[in-house]
Amino acid sequence: MVDFKKRLGKQAIEKKVNPVEIYEELDRKSETGPLRPVQAKILSEWWDNRKGDKDLILKLPTGHGKTLIGLLILQSQLNQKKGPCLYVCPNKHLVEQTCREADKFGIGHVQIGLGSDNLLPEEFLNSEKILITNIQKVFNGKSKFGIGGNFQKVDTIVLDDSHACIDCVKDAFKIEITKNNEIYLQIFQLFEEYLQDQGEGSFLEIKEDGNDTYLPVPYWIWEDKKQEIVEILGRHKQEKEITFAWPLVKDRIGTCQCFISGKTIEITPFISPVDEFGTFSKANHRILMSATTQNDSFFIKDFGFNIESVKNPLTHKSEKWWGEKMILIPSLIREELERNKMIPKFAQSNSKREFGIVVITTSFKRAETYKTCGATICKPEDIFENVNNLKTGENYSNTLVLANRYDGIDLPDDSCRILIIDSLPYANCLSDEYEKECRSNSALTNIQIAQKIEQGLGRSVRGEKDYSVIILLGNDLIQFVKSKQTSQFFSMQTKKQIEIGLEIAKMAKEENEEQQAFYKDPLHSLTEVINQCLQRDEGWKEFYREKMNSI
């Protein structure tokens, strides 16, 4: 074997530490090109001015290549011999996607193994490669990274899609007991008389399996009964519904809140004690990556970030709009085109379809309507396979329905040319639902809803030249995006895209009224407008550019 190092002027090969220079030397696949201008600008700004920050929020619109930016920052830290580096995704699907990205760009990485190999990899512990994993592996009471004073120290941790990660971190501290578990009855009986005092009708519905009805346990009664709760939960701490959260809340039961519904009991802290996870809270550098949104104050409460990091995020301040979204509300074009009329049109199977149609709806229960019309409901365990089939073009014929998955799934180009957002997103847990009910007009509540909608809107347009038709269904969702009171919480780009959609609806309605005699079919006008986007009508493209350039 030839020792090429002897032929060099230097005996040791120095690794690049500037992330832009690192990218130039990576063994990348031929399909990759140079860094995008926005990526190079962000990385240079981090290297020149922000690499010393303990807490950093990186904000870029969906599809701008945040994943590569995060990986290059971590590789820079490894090359500087700072210590172990961790890249955290909100779900397993995104872990696989991020690993493929790392492979494509030639960035060394490892994952936590399965079964008997379910240990932290040596290459991660020795600061040789980036560990890519999901949020549940880091934030749970039996985490391989440790809790309390016994934890794995890391230098830099990156959380991708950090708004989605917030819900996962909250879930780590949550105990959720279903009605078929004997613990449910024990806790219900403990608070039965006090629940009845909270609301006789609601109490009756809960007893009669009113799934959507719930009541909070009064905090003063919870405080009085906390020892009994500890004893009940402690006796069953090995059960699946309790075991992962028990080490985190067993000494904090008094600071928790409890909600009882007709199907579950939920116990969760008022504020998630993230300090229990030293791998995150005591990392030298913590980087949260998120799409451009109106408010990141949640990071202070939920992740313990400092105020300056929220005031001064790392972002591309001169960034212009990008990508093409034709946002349509069918019922504004023709009143007959309400939700029940639209579902059969888009849910039916079509073997001649040359692109994917994807629906994001609020629950599996709501998704059943699409299934009866021929669509495929995507189960959590099948997401990776179904999405991959769309990306490779193997299955465009069946409409794919995702239940409550507004983030973490990329559907570029032909994998999704028509995206349907069905109904207003709702809270994932009883505590959030209770807060929403008590503060229905709160700006913070509306910000959370707007962020989730924007995450959904970003699934189908993943690049500067990508385009998609996005159809909004459900009266509650339509009211939210139209109302001046709530639409203000969207980003400037999304607000303009919604305005364009409202203008399209008005123009299409006027044209439809003029030609009523010719167009008896209410679907005709909608189909025509959709085809103008999909068939790349030059008039539509120029109209969109002109409107977007005005922001």
Side-chain angles (χ1 to χ4, degrees), residues 166 169-174 248-249 252-257 267-277 298-304 431-432 435:
I166 288 177
V169 173
K170 287 181 178 178
D171 287 345
F173 299 96
K174 181 173 68 177
L248 302 169
V249 301
R252 293 185 171 86
I253 292 297
T255 64
C256 291
Q257 53 190 334
I267 299 169
T268 183
F270 283 100
I271 297 179
S272 302
V274 292
D275 285 347
E276 279 293 314
F277 299 103
F298 305 106
F299 294 146
I300 299 173
K301 175 185 175 183
D302 295 306
F303 285 139
S431 57
D432 286 348
E435 182 176 350

PDB file of all heavy atoms in Angstrom, residues 166 169-174 248-249 252-257 267-277 298-304 431-432 435:
ATOM      1  N   ILE A 166     -41.044  19.710  20.903  1.00  0.00           N
ATOM      2  CA  ILE A 166     -41.637  20.164  22.164  1.00  0.00           C
ATOM      3  C   ILE A 166     -42.715  19.191  22.635  1.00  0.00           C
ATOM      4  O   ILE A 166     -42.769  18.810  23.804  1.00  0.00           O
ATOM      5  CB  ILE A 166     -42.210  21.587  22.015  1.00  0.00           C
ATOM      6  CG1 ILE A 166     -41.078  22.611  21.929  1.00  0.00           C
ATOM      7  CG2 ILE A 166     -43.121  21.940  23.192  1.00  0.00           C
ATOM      8  CD1 ILE A 166     -41.542  24.032  21.706  1.00  0.00           C
ATOM      9  N   VAL A 169     -41.167  16.027  24.032  1.00  0.00           N
ATOM     10  CA  VAL A 169     -40.574  16.220  25.358  1.00  0.00           C
ATOM     11  C   VAL A 169     -41.672  16.244  26.417  1.00  0.00           C
ATOM     12  O   VAL A 169     -41.538  15.638  27.486  1.00  0.00           O
ATOM     13  CB  VAL A 169     -39.743  17.521  25.395  1.00  0.00           C
ATOM     14  CG1 VAL A 169     -39.280  17.812  26.822  1.00  0.00           C
ATOM     15  CG2 VAL A 169     -38.544  17.401  24.474  1.00  0.00           C
ATOM     16  N   LYS A 170     -42.784  16.914  26.126  1.00  0.00           N
ATOM     17  CA  LYS A 170     -43.904  16.919  27.064  1.00  0.00           C
ATOM     18  C   LYS A 170     -44.418  15.506  27.309  1.00  0.00           C
ATOM     19  O   LYS A 170     -44.757  15.139  28.438  1.00  0.00           O
ATOM     20  CB  LYS A 170     -45.036  17.799  26.525  1.00  0.00           C
ATOM     21  CG  LYS A 170     -44.761  19.298  26.595  1.00  0.00           C
ATOM     22  CD  LYS A 170     -45.962  20.069  26.065  1.00  0.00           C
ATOM     23  CE  LYS A 170     -45.742  21.570  26.170  1.00  0.00           C
ATOM     24  NZ  LYS A 170     -46.900  22.332  25.615  1.00  0.00           N
ATOM     25  N   ASP A 171     -44.473  14.709  26.238  1.00  0.00           N
ATOM     26  CA  ASP A 171     -44.950  13.328  26.363  1.00  0.00           C
ATOM     27  C   ASP A 171     -44.048  12.490  27.268  1.00  0.00           C
ATOM     28  O   ASP A 171     -44.506  11.528  27.895  1.00  0.00           O
ATOM     29  CB  ASP A 171     -45.043  12.666  24.988  1.00  0.00           C
ATOM     30  CG  ASP A 171     -46.213  13.188  24.168  1.00  0.00           C
ATOM     31  OD1 ASP A 171     -47.102  13.831  24.753  1.00  0.00           O
ATOM     32  OD2 ASP A 171     -46.217  12.976  22.939  1.00  0.00           O
ATOM     33  N   ALA A 172     -42.767  12.833  27.346  1.00  0.00           N
ATOM     34  CA  ALA A 172     -41.831  12.077  28.178  1.00  0.00           C
ATOM     35  C   ALA A 172     -42.216  12.140  29.649  1.00  0.00           C
ATOM     36  O   ALA A 172     -41.939  11.213  30.418  1.00  0.00           O
ATOM     37  CB  ALA A 172     -40.408  12.609  27.984  1.00  0.00           C
ATOM     38  N   PHE A 173     -42.868  13.231  30.048  1.00  0.00           N
ATOM     39  CA  PHE A 173     -43.246  13.409  31.454  1.00  0.00           C
ATOM     40  C   PHE A 173     -44.705  13.044  31.715  1.00  0.00           C
ATOM     41  O   PHE A 173     -45.185  13.168  32.833  1.00  0.00           O
ATOM     42  CB  PHE A 173     -43.026  14.876  31.865  1.00  0.00           C
ATOM     43  CG  PHE A 173     -41.607  15.331  31.741  1.00  0.00           C
ATOM     44  CD1 PHE A 173     -41.166  16.005  30.614  1.00  0.00           C
ATOM     45  CD2 PHE A 173     -40.693  15.087  32.758  1.00  0.00           C
ATOM     46  CE1 PHE A 173     -39.856  16.434  30.498  1.00  0.00           C
ATOM     47  CE2 PHE A 173     -39.379  15.506  32.647  1.00  0.00           C
ATOM     48  CZ  PHE A 173     -38.962  16.180  31.523  1.00  0.00           C
ATOM     49  N   LYS A 174     -45.393  12.606  30.683  1.00  0.00           N
ATOM     50  CA  LYS A 174     -46.839  12.373  30.799  1.00  0.00           C
ATOM     51  C   LYS A 174     -47.160  10.920  31.103  1.00  0.00           C
ATOM     52  O   LYS A 174     -46.631  10.008  30.479  1.00  0.00           O
ATOM     53  CB  LYS A 174     -47.528  12.804  29.498  1.00  0.00           C
ATOM     54  CG  LYS A 174     -49.046  12.636  29.521  1.00  0.00           C
ATOM     55  CD  LYS A 174     -49.684  13.244  28.278  1.00  0.00           C
ATOM     56  CE  LYS A 174     -49.342  12.490  27.020  1.00  0.00           C
ATOM     57  NZ  LYS A 174     -50.008  13.022  25.833  1.00  0.00           N
ATOM     58  N   LEU A 248     -39.244  10.207  36.229  1.00  0.00           N
ATOM     59  CA  LEU A 248     -39.186  11.662  36.048  1.00  0.00           C
ATOM     60  C   LEU A 248     -40.192  12.405  36.918  1.00  0.00           C
ATOM     61  O   LEU A 248     -39.979  13.574  37.256  1.00  0.00           O
ATOM     62  CB  LEU A 248     -39.428  12.022  34.582  1.00  0.00           C
ATOM     63  CG  LEU A 248     -38.459  11.403  33.569  1.00  0.00           C
ATOM     64  CD1 LEU A 248     -38.967  11.624  32.150  1.00  0.00           C
ATOM     65  CD2 LEU A 248     -37.069  11.985  33.737  1.00  0.00           C
ATOM     66  N   VAL A 249     -41.308  11.747  37.270  1.00  0.00           N
ATOM     67  CA  VAL A 249     -42.374  12.446  38.002  1.00  0.00           C
ATOM     68  C   VAL A 249     -42.608  11.902  39.404  1.00  0.00           C
ATOM     69  O   VAL A 249     -43.370  12.498  40.162  1.00  0.00           O
ATOM     70  CB  VAL A 249     -43.704  12.401  37.212  1.00  0.00           C
ATOM     71  CG1 VAL A 249     -43.553  13.042  35.843  1.00  0.00           C
ATOM     72  CG2 VAL A 249     -44.231  10.982  37.076  1.00  0.00           C
ATOM     73  N   ARG A 252     -42.332  14.419  41.891  1.00  0.00           N
ATOM     74  CA  ARG A 252     -42.927  15.692  41.497  1.00  0.00           C
ATOM     75  C   ARG A 252     -44.443  15.600  41.341  1.00  0.00           C
ATOM     76  O   ARG A 252     -45.064  16.433  40.681  1.00  0.00           O
ATOM     77  CB  ARG A 252     -42.338  16.166  40.155  1.00  0.00           C
ATOM     78  CG  ARG A 252     -40.862  16.533  40.202  1.00  0.00           C
ATOM     79  CD  ARG A 252     -40.449  17.107  38.845  1.00  0.00           C
ATOM     80  NE  ARG A 252     -39.111  17.663  38.883  1.00  0.00           N
ATOM     81  CZ  ARG A 252     -37.996  16.973  38.694  1.00  0.00           C
ATOM     82  NH1 ARG A 252     -38.084  15.656  38.454  1.00  0.00           N
ATOM     83  NH2 ARG A 252     -36.817  17.550  38.750  1.00  0.00           N
ATOM     84  N   ILE A 253     -45.054  14.603  41.925  1.00  0.00           N
ATOM     85  CA  ILE A 253     -46.490  14.413  41.762  1.00  0.00           C
ATOM     86  C   ILE A 253     -47.265  15.654  42.201  1.00  0.00           C
ATOM     87  O   ILE A 253     -48.256  16.048  41.586  1.00  0.00           O
ATOM     88  CB  ILE A 253     -46.980  13.171  42.545  1.00  0.00           C
ATOM     89  CG1 ILE A 253     -46.421  11.892  41.911  1.00  0.00           C
ATOM     90  CG2 ILE A 253     -48.497  13.110  42.586  1.00  0.00           C
ATOM     91  CD1 ILE A 253     -46.875  11.642  40.492  1.00  0.00           C
ATOM     92  N   GLY A 254     -46.788  16.322  43.243  1.00  0.00           N
ATOM     93  CA  GLY A 254     -47.472  17.516  43.729  1.00  0.00           C
ATOM     94  C   GLY A 254     -47.461  18.672  42.754  1.00  0.00           C
ATOM     95  O   GLY A 254     -48.290  19.585  42.844  1.00  0.00           O
ATOM     96  N   THR A 255     -46.538  18.658  41.804  1.00  0.00           N
ATOM     97  CA  THR A 255     -46.453  19.746  40.812  1.00  0.00           C
ATOM     98  C   THR A 255     -47.092  19.336  39.484  1.00  0.00           C
ATOM     99  O   THR A 255     -46.873  19.985  38.468  1.00  0.00           O
ATOM    100  CB  THR A 255     -44.982  20.136  40.559  1.00  0.00           C
ATOM    101  OG1 THR A 255     -44.281  19.021  39.985  1.00  0.00           O
ATOM    102  CG2 THR A 255     -44.296  20.543  41.855  1.00  0.00           C
ATOM    103  N   CYS A 256     -47.857  18.266  39.519  1.00  0.00           N
ATOM    104  CA  CYS A 256     -48.532  17.790  38.305  1.00  0.00           C
ATOM    105  C   CYS A 256     -49.999  18.196  38.320  1.00  0.00           C
ATOM    106  O   CYS A 256     -50.566  18.561  39.353  1.00  0.00           O
ATOM    107  CB  CYS A 256     -48.427  16.265  38.194  1.00  0.00           C
ATOM    108  SG  CYS A 256     -46.767  15.635  37.867  1.00  0.00           S
ATOM    109  N   GLN A 257     -50.604  18.107  37.143  1.00  0.00           N
ATOM    110  CA  GLN A 257     -52.048  18.308  37.007  1.00  0.00           C
ATOM    111  C   GLN A 257     -52.646  17.024  36.454  1.00  0.00           C
ATOM    112  O   GLN A 257     -51.971  16.248  35.770  1.00  0.00           O
ATOM    113  CB  GLN A 257     -52.343  19.480  36.083  1.00  0.00           C
ATOM    114  CG  GLN A 257     -51.663  19.397  34.725  1.00  0.00           C
ATOM    115  CD  GLN A 257     -51.781  20.672  33.931  1.00  0.00           C
ATOM    116  OE1 GLN A 257     -52.715  21.445  34.115  1.00  0.00           O
ATOM    117  NE2 GLN A 257     -50.834  20.923  33.031  1.00  0.00           N
ATOM    118  N   ILE A 267     -51.843  12.493  33.534  1.00  0.00           N
ATOM    119  CA  ILE A 267     -51.111  13.165  34.614  1.00  0.00           C
ATOM    120  C   ILE A 267     -49.843  13.757  33.998  1.00  0.00           C
ATOM    121  O   ILE A 267     -49.053  13.036  33.388  1.00  0.00           O
ATOM    122  CB  ILE A 267     -50.738  12.178  35.737  1.00  0.00           C
ATOM    123  CG1 ILE A 267     -52.008  11.574  36.350  1.00  0.00           C
ATOM    124  CG2 ILE A 267     -49.909  12.867  36.817  1.00  0.00           C
ATOM    125  CD1 ILE A 267     -51.744  10.400  37.288  1.00  0.00           C
ATOM    126  N   THR A 268     -49.664  15.065  34.152  1.00  0.00           N
ATOM    127  CA  THR A 268     -48.526  15.722  33.514  1.00  0.00           C
ATOM    128  C   THR A 268     -48.087  16.927  34.331  1.00  0.00           C
ATOM    129  O   THR A 268     -48.921  17.584  34.952  1.00  0.00           O
ATOM    130  CB  THR A 268     -48.901  16.156  32.072  1.00  0.00           C
ATOM    131  OG1 THR A 268     -47.778  16.721  31.428  1.00  0.00           O
ATOM    132  CG2 THR A 268     -50.027  17.158  32.062  1.00  0.00           C
ATOM    133  N   PRO A 269     -46.785  17.247  34.384  1.00  0.00           N
ATOM    134  CA  PRO A 269     -46.322  18.418  35.137  1.00  0.00           C
ATOM    135  C   PRO A 269     -46.821  19.715  34.502  1.00  0.00           C
ATOM    136  O   PRO A 269     -47.030  19.789  33.292  1.00  0.00           O
ATOM    137  CB  PRO A 269     -44.788  18.328  35.047  1.00  0.00           C
ATOM    138  CG  PRO A 269     -44.496  16.934  34.628  1.00  0.00           C
ATOM    139  CD  PRO A 269     -45.660  16.489  33.803  1.00  0.00           C
ATOM    140  N   PHE A 270     -46.987  20.760  35.337  1.00  0.00           N
ATOM    141  CA  PHE A 270     -47.345  22.074  34.818  1.00  0.00           C
ATOM    142  C   PHE A 270     -46.233  22.594  33.903  1.00  0.00           C
ATOM    143  O   PHE A 270     -46.494  23.164  32.858  1.00  0.00           O
ATOM    144  CB  PHE A 270     -47.571  23.066  35.964  1.00  0.00           C
ATOM    145  CG  PHE A 270     -48.897  22.891  36.652  1.00  0.00           C
ATOM    146  CD1 PHE A 270     -48.990  22.202  37.851  1.00  0.00           C
ATOM    147  CD2 PHE A 270     -50.043  23.406  36.081  1.00  0.00           C
ATOM    148  CE1 PHE A 270     -50.207  22.044  38.476  1.00  0.00           C
ATOM    149  CE2 PHE A 270     -51.278  23.246  36.703  1.00  0.00           C
ATOM    150  CZ  PHE A 270     -51.364  22.566  37.909  1.00  0.00           C
ATOM    151  N   ILE A 271     -44.990  22.399  34.311  1.00  0.00           N
ATOM    152  CA  ILE A 271     -43.835  22.783  33.503  1.00  0.00           C
ATOM    153  C   ILE A 271     -42.902  21.583  33.422  1.00  0.00           C
ATOM    154  O   ILE A 271     -42.526  21.014  34.451  1.00  0.00           O
ATOM    155  CB  ILE A 271     -43.097  23.995  34.109  1.00  0.00           C
ATOM    156  CG1 ILE A 271     -44.012  25.221  34.130  1.00  0.00           C
ATOM    157  CG2 ILE A 271     -41.823  24.299  33.319  1.00  0.00           C
ATOM    158  CD1 ILE A 271     -43.387  26.455  34.738  1.00  0.00           C
ATOM    159  N   SER A 272     -42.533  21.197  32.209  1.00  0.00           N
ATOM    160  CA  SER A 272     -41.673  20.018  32.027  1.00  0.00           C
ATOM    161  C   SER A 272     -40.279  20.276  32.595  1.00  0.00           C
ATOM    162  O   SER A 272     -39.604  21.220  32.172  1.00  0.00           O
ATOM    163  CB  SER A 272     -41.563  19.673  30.537  1.00  0.00           C
ATOM    164  OG  SER A 272     -42.834  19.421  29.980  1.00  0.00           O
ATOM    165  N   PRO A 273     -39.822  19.463  33.546  1.00  0.00           N
ATOM    166  CA  PRO A 273     -38.489  19.662  34.146  1.00  0.00           C
ATOM    167  C   PRO A 273     -37.378  19.127  33.246  1.00  0.00           C
ATOM    168  O   PRO A 273     -36.758  18.095  33.521  1.00  0.00           O
ATOM    169  CB  PRO A 273     -38.581  18.876  35.458  1.00  0.00           C
ATOM    170  CG  PRO A 273     -39.581  17.794  35.189  1.00  0.00           C
ATOM    171  CD  PRO A 273     -40.561  18.358  34.192  1.00  0.00           C
ATOM    172  N   VAL A 274     -37.080  19.850  32.152  1.00  0.00           N
ATOM    173  CA  VAL A 274     -36.091  19.370  31.186  1.00  0.00           C
ATOM    174  C   VAL A 274     -34.689  19.268  31.784  1.00  0.00           C
ATOM    175  O   VAL A 274     -33.826  18.586  31.213  1.00  0.00           O
ATOM    176  CB  VAL A 274     -36.055  20.262  29.925  1.00  0.00           C
ATOM    177  CG1 VAL A 274     -37.320  20.134  29.119  1.00  0.00           C
ATOM    178  CG2 VAL A 274     -35.798  21.716  30.298  1.00  0.00           C
ATOM    179  N   ASP A 275     -34.464  19.928  32.920  1.00  0.00           N
ATOM    180  CA  ASP A 275     -33.145  19.821  33.554  1.00  0.00           C
ATOM    181  C   ASP A 275     -32.814  18.398  33.956  1.00  0.00           C
ATOM    182  O   ASP A 275     -31.641  18.074  34.206  1.00  0.00           O
ATOM    183  CB  ASP A 275     -33.077  20.730  34.790  1.00  0.00           C
ATOM    184  CG  ASP A 275     -32.947  22.200  34.409  1.00  0.00           C
ATOM    185  OD1 ASP A 275     -32.671  22.465  33.224  1.00  0.00           O
ATOM    186  OD2 ASP A 275     -33.131  23.068  35.284  1.00  0.00           O
ATOM    187  N   GLU A 276     -33.821  17.532  34.042  1.00  0.00           N
ATOM    188  CA  GLU A 276     -33.578  16.120  34.355  1.00  0.00           C
ATOM    189  C   GLU A 276     -32.716  15.462  33.283  1.00  0.00           C
ATOM    190  O   GLU A 276     -32.043  14.476  33.545  1.00  0.00           O
ATOM    191  CB  GLU A 276     -34.909  15.362  34.486  1.00  0.00           C
ATOM    192  CG  GLU A 276     -35.600  15.522  35.821  1.00  0.00           C
ATOM    193  CD  GLU A 276     -34.823  14.873  36.952  1.00  0.00           C
ATOM    194  OE1 GLU A 276     -34.371  13.724  36.782  1.00  0.00           O
ATOM    195  OE2 GLU A 276     -34.643  15.525  37.996  1.00  0.00           O
ATOM    196  N   PHE A 277     -32.752  15.997  32.080  1.00  0.00           N
ATOM    197  CA  PHE A 277     -31.987  15.426  30.968  1.00  0.00           C
ATOM    198  C   PHE A 277     -30.723  16.247  30.770  1.00  0.00           C
ATOM    199  O   PHE A 277     -30.674  17.176  29.962  1.00  0.00           O
ATOM    200  CB  PHE A 277     -32.839  15.400  29.694  1.00  0.00           C
ATOM    201  CG  PHE A 277     -34.082  14.570  29.821  1.00  0.00           C
ATOM    202  CD1 PHE A 277     -35.313  15.172  29.991  1.00  0.00           C
ATOM    203  CD2 PHE A 277     -34.009  13.188  29.801  1.00  0.00           C
ATOM    204  CE1 PHE A 277     -36.468  14.411  30.112  1.00  0.00           C
ATOM    205  CE2 PHE A 277     -35.155  12.409  29.934  1.00  0.00           C
ATOM    206  CZ  PHE A 277     -36.395  13.021  30.086  1.00  0.00           C
ATOM    207  N   PHE A 298     -41.986  29.847  23.202  1.00  0.00           N
ATOM    208  CA  PHE A 298     -42.201  28.534  23.804  1.00  0.00           C
ATOM    209  C   PHE A 298     -40.873  27.883  24.200  1.00  0.00           C
ATOM    210  O   PHE A 298     -40.807  27.076  25.119  1.00  0.00           O
ATOM    211  CB  PHE A 298     -42.936  27.612  22.821  1.00  0.00           C
ATOM    212  CG  PHE A 298     -44.227  28.175  22.308  1.00  0.00           C
ATOM    213  CD1 PHE A 298     -44.320  28.645  21.013  1.00  0.00           C
ATOM    214  CD2 PHE A 298     -45.338  28.262  23.119  1.00  0.00           C
ATOM    215  CE1 PHE A 298     -45.500  29.171  20.524  1.00  0.00           C
ATOM    216  CE2 PHE A 298     -46.529  28.785  22.647  1.00  0.00           C
ATOM    217  CZ  PHE A 298     -46.613  29.245  21.344  1.00  0.00           C
ATOM    218  N   PHE A 299     -39.808  28.233  23.493  1.00  0.00           N
ATOM    219  CA  PHE A 299     -38.511  27.626  23.783  1.00  0.00           C
ATOM    220  C   PHE A 299     -37.974  28.036  25.155  1.00  0.00           C
ATOM    221  O   PHE A 299     -37.153  27.339  25.738  1.00  0.00           O
ATOM    222  CB  PHE A 299     -37.499  27.996  22.701  1.00  0.00           C
ATOM    223  CG  PHE A 299     -37.825  27.427  21.344  1.00  0.00           C
ATOM    224  CD1 PHE A 299     -37.521  28.134  20.187  1.00  0.00           C
ATOM    225  CD2 PHE A 299     -38.434  26.196  21.216  1.00  0.00           C
ATOM    226  CE1 PHE A 299     -37.813  27.615  18.930  1.00  0.00           C
ATOM    227  CE2 PHE A 299     -38.733  25.664  19.971  1.00  0.00           C
ATOM    228  CZ  PHE A 299     -38.434  26.378  18.834  1.00  0.00           C
ATOM    229  N   ILE A 300     -38.416  29.182  25.656  1.00  0.00           N
ATOM    230  CA  ILE A 300     -37.967  29.621  26.983  1.00  0.00           C
ATOM    231  C   ILE A 300     -38.592  28.734  28.052  1.00  0.00           C
ATOM    232  O   ILE A 300     -37.908  28.224  28.944  1.00  0.00           O
ATOM    233  CB  ILE A 300     -38.337  31.101  27.219  1.00  0.00           C
ATOM    234  CG1 ILE A 300     -37.647  31.991  26.176  1.00  0.00           C
ATOM    235  CG2 ILE A 300     -37.962  31.535  28.628  1.00  0.00           C
ATOM    236  CD1 ILE A 300     -38.072  33.438  26.228  1.00  0.00           C
ATOM    237  N   LYS A 301     -39.908  28.541  27.951  1.00  0.00           N
ATOM    238  CA  LYS A 301     -40.616  27.737  28.954  1.00  0.00           C
ATOM    239  C   LYS A 301     -40.307  26.252  28.822  1.00  0.00           C
ATOM    240  O   LYS A 301     -40.042  25.577  29.812  1.00  0.00           O
ATOM    241  CB  LYS A 301     -42.118  27.966  28.822  1.00  0.00           C
ATOM    242  CG  LYS A 301     -42.960  27.085  29.740  1.00  0.00           C
ATOM    243  CD  LYS A 301     -44.447  27.278  29.473  1.00  0.00           C
ATOM    244  CE  LYS A 301     -45.273  26.296  30.306  1.00  0.00           C
ATOM    245  NZ  LYS A 301     -46.719  26.410  30.023  1.00  0.00           N
ATOM    246  N   ASP A 302     -40.355  25.743  27.600  1.00  0.00           N
ATOM    247  CA  ASP A 302     -40.280  24.291  27.405  1.00  0.00           C
ATOM    248  C   ASP A 302     -38.865  23.735  27.334  1.00  0.00           C
ATOM    249  O   ASP A 302     -38.638  22.574  27.656  1.00  0.00           O
ATOM    250  CB  ASP A 302     -41.044  23.905  26.139  1.00  0.00           C
ATOM    251  CG  ASP A 302     -42.534  24.193  26.265  1.00  0.00           C
ATOM    252  OD1 ASP A 302     -43.139  23.721  27.234  1.00  0.00           O
ATOM    253  OD2 ASP A 302     -43.090  24.890  25.397  1.00  0.00           O
ATOM    254  N   PHE A 303     -37.891  24.554  26.898  1.00  0.00           N
ATOM    255  CA  PHE A 303     -36.521  24.069  26.771  1.00  0.00           C
ATOM    256  C   PHE A 303     -35.529  24.819  27.646  1.00  0.00           C
ATOM    257  O   PHE A 303     -34.344  24.494  27.655  1.00  0.00           O
ATOM    258  CB  PHE A 303     -36.053  24.149  25.315  1.00  0.00           C
ATOM    259  CG  PHE A 303     -36.645  23.085  24.422  1.00  0.00           C
ATOM    260  CD1 PHE A 303     -37.070  23.386  23.141  1.00  0.00           C
ATOM    261  CD2 PHE A 303     -36.759  21.778  24.865  1.00  0.00           C
ATOM    262  CE1 PHE A 303     -37.600  22.411  22.314  1.00  0.00           C
ATOM    263  CE2 PHE A 303     -37.298  20.799  24.052  1.00  0.00           C
ATOM    264  CZ  PHE A 303     -37.723  21.101  22.773  1.00  0.00           C
ATOM    265  N   GLY A 304     -36.002  25.831  28.358  1.00  0.00           N
ATOM    266  CA  GLY A 304     -35.108  26.574  29.236  1.00  0.00           C
ATOM    267  C   GLY A 304     -34.087  27.412  28.494  1.00  0.00           C
ATOM    268  O   GLY A 304     -33.004  27.689  29.016  1.00  0.00           O
ATOM    269  N   SER A 431     -54.311  18.324  28.687  1.00  0.00           N
ATOM    270  CA  SER A 431     -53.842  19.560  29.319  1.00  0.00           C
ATOM    271  C   SER A 431     -53.811  20.710  28.312  1.00  0.00           C
ATOM    272  O   SER A 431     -54.217  21.836  28.622  1.00  0.00           O
ATOM    273  CB  SER A 431     -52.454  19.359  29.940  1.00  0.00           C
ATOM    274  OG  SER A 431     -51.524  18.914  28.980  1.00  0.00           O
ATOM    275  N   ASP A 432     -53.371  20.421  27.079  1.00  0.00           N
ATOM    276  CA  ASP A 432     -53.365  21.453  26.038  1.00  0.00           C
ATOM    277  C   ASP A 432     -54.794  21.820  25.631  1.00  0.00           C
ATOM    278  O   ASP A 432     -55.098  22.983  25.365  1.00  0.00           O
ATOM    279  CB  ASP A 432     -52.580  20.973  24.817  1.00  0.00           C
ATOM    280  CG  ASP A 432     -51.078  20.977  25.051  1.00  0.00           C
ATOM    281  OD1 ASP A 432     -50.638  21.564  26.057  1.00  0.00           O
ATOM    282  OD2 ASP A 432     -50.353  20.385  24.237  1.00  0.00           O
ATOM    283  N   GLU A 435     -56.167  24.100  28.288  1.00  0.00           N
ATOM    284  CA  GLU A 435     -55.613  25.448  28.159  1.00  0.00           C
ATOM    285  C   GLU A 435     -56.264  26.187  26.989  1.00  0.00           C
ATOM    286  O   GLU A 435     -56.590  27.379  27.089  1.00  0.00           O
ATOM    287  CB  GLU A 435     -54.104  25.386  27.968  1.00  0.00           C
ATOM    288  CG  GLU A 435     -53.441  26.750  27.871  1.00  0.00           C
ATOM    289  CD  GLU A 435     -51.932  26.667  27.786  1.00  0.00           C
ATOM    290  OE1 GLU A 435     -51.376  25.572  27.980  1.00  0.00           O
ATOM    291  OE2 GLU A 435     -51.313  27.709  27.526  1.00  0.00           O
TER     292      GLU A 435
END
